[in-house]
Amino acid sequence: MTRLAYLFAAAFGLAMALAAPATAQVNIDDKLPLCSACHGENGVPTEKNIPVIWGQHQGYIYFMLRDFKLGQRQNDAMTEIAKDLSRDEMMALAEYFSKKPWPNLNQPRASAEDTKRAESAIVSGQCGACHGEQGMGDSVQPRIAGQQRDYLLLTLTEFRSRKRTNNPWMSDILGTLAPEDMDALANYMAGR
Ligand code: HEC
Ligand code: HEC
C-alpha cells in the first residue's frame, strides 16, 4: 500500500469508528450475569460485605474498575474480574450500572448514641464537603448514604488502616478519627 493510501485507510477507519455509536463497539451483555451473581439481580448484593453498585455514580464506578485492574485497589474477586476488562467495557459497565435505580436495603436507622458520635465525626472529617450533606456523592465521589452497613464498616476500616490504598486522602481523614467512629459512621450512613 502506498503511504497515501495507508493514510487514507487510517483516516477512513477513524471516521467510521467515531461515527458508530459507542455502545455498538462493546457488548457487555455477557459480563452482566457475572456482576449480578454478587452485586444482585435487582441491585441488592448477595452478601453483606458486597457494595451496592446500582445507581452509584458513573465516574466513580469507572475509577474503581480501573483501580482494581491496575492493582491500586486490591480485592481477590474484583482484581481477577477487572483484569480482563477493556477500558471501553469498563466505561460501558459504569454507564449501565449508574443508570439503574439505587435499591432500598431497608437498613435500620442508627441509634441515638451512634448518630451523635457519627454527626460529630462528620463535622470534624468534613465528609459533606465531598460526599454531599446527605451523603449522595457526585461524579467521582461515591454515594455512601444507604450503602450496605457491613461493607461500609469494612471499607472505612481498610481506608483507616491503609489496606485500601487507592485514596490516601480518605485514609488521612479517617486517621484523624477514633476507631470507634468507624462503626458509628457505618451505622449512620447505612440507615440514611
Ligand atoms: C465474586 C463476587 C463479585 C463479582 C462476580 C463481582 N463483584 Fe464487584 N465487588 C465485589 C466485592 C466483594 C467488592 C468489594 C471489594 C472491597 O471490599 O474492596 C466489589 C466491589 C465493586 C466495585 C466498587 C464499589 C464501591 O462502592 O467501591 C465495583 C464498581 C464493582 N465491584 C463492579 C463490578 C462489576 C461491574 C462486576 C461484573 C463485571 C462485578 N463487580 C463482579 C464482589 C464481586
Ligand atoms: C476531600 C474529599 C473527601 C472527604 C472530605 C471525605 N471523602 Fe470519603 N471519599 C472521597 C473520594 C474521592 C472517595 C473515593 C475514593 C477512591 O478513589 O477509592 C471516597 C470514598 C469513601 C468511602 C468508600 C465508598 C465506597 O463505596 O467504597 C466511604 C465509606 C467514605 N468515603 C466515607 C467518608 C466519610 C465518613 C468521610 C468523613 C469522615 C469522608 N468520606 C470524607 C472523598 C472524600
Side-chain angles (χ1 to χ4, degrees), residues 64-161:
M64 291 308 105
L65 293 173
R66 186 203 60 181
D67 284 0
F68 283 126
K69 184 181 168 99
L70 298 178
Q72 285 168 4
R73 182 175 171 185
Q74 301 278 350
N75 174 266
D76 289 348
M78 284 309 303
T79 305
E80 193 57 32
I81 288 164
K83 95 179 180 332
D84 295 330
L85 298 174
S86 69
R87 180 178 174 277
D88 287 348
E89 286 170 337
M90 295 191 284
M91 299 275 267
L93 286 163
E95 184 182 4
Y96 175 86
F97 284 110
S98 68
K99 287 187 173 151
K100 294 284 189 181
W102 186 277
N104 183 355
L105 304 182
N106 292 311
Q107 298 178 111
R109 289 207 157 249
S111 67
E113 195 189 331
D114 280 345
T115 301
K116 194 162 161 251
R117 183 177 266 281
E119 282 174 348
S120 113
I122 286 166
V123 171
S124 81
Q126 296 187 16
C127 321
C130 299
H131 294 282
E133 290 310 320
Q134 307 297 321
M136 298 302 275
D138 186 27
S139 134
V140 298
Q141 341 260 8
R143 170 171 173 168
I144 52 179
Q147 183 54 278
Q148 292 255 57
R149 193 210 86 95
D150 289 8
Y151 170 74
L152 284 171
L153 180 59
L154 177 78
T155 213
L156 286 168
T157 309
E158 291 190 348
F159 264 138
R160 195 171 182 283
S161 69

Side-chain angles (χ1 to χ4, degrees), residues 44-60:
V44 178
T46 51
E47 305 273 348
K48 297 284 179 203
N49 60 358
I50 300 177
V52 169
I53 60 170
W54 277 40
Q56 184 55 277
H57 299 288
Q58 189 175 345
Y60 177 72

Side-chain angles (χ1 to χ4, degrees), residues 29-49:
D29 290 354
D30 59 332
K31 314 272 178 212
L32 297 175
L34 178 65
C35 313
S36 301
C38 292
H39 292 281
E41 289 287 342
N42 50 5
V44 178
T46 51
E47 305 273 348
K48 297 284 179 203
N49 60 358

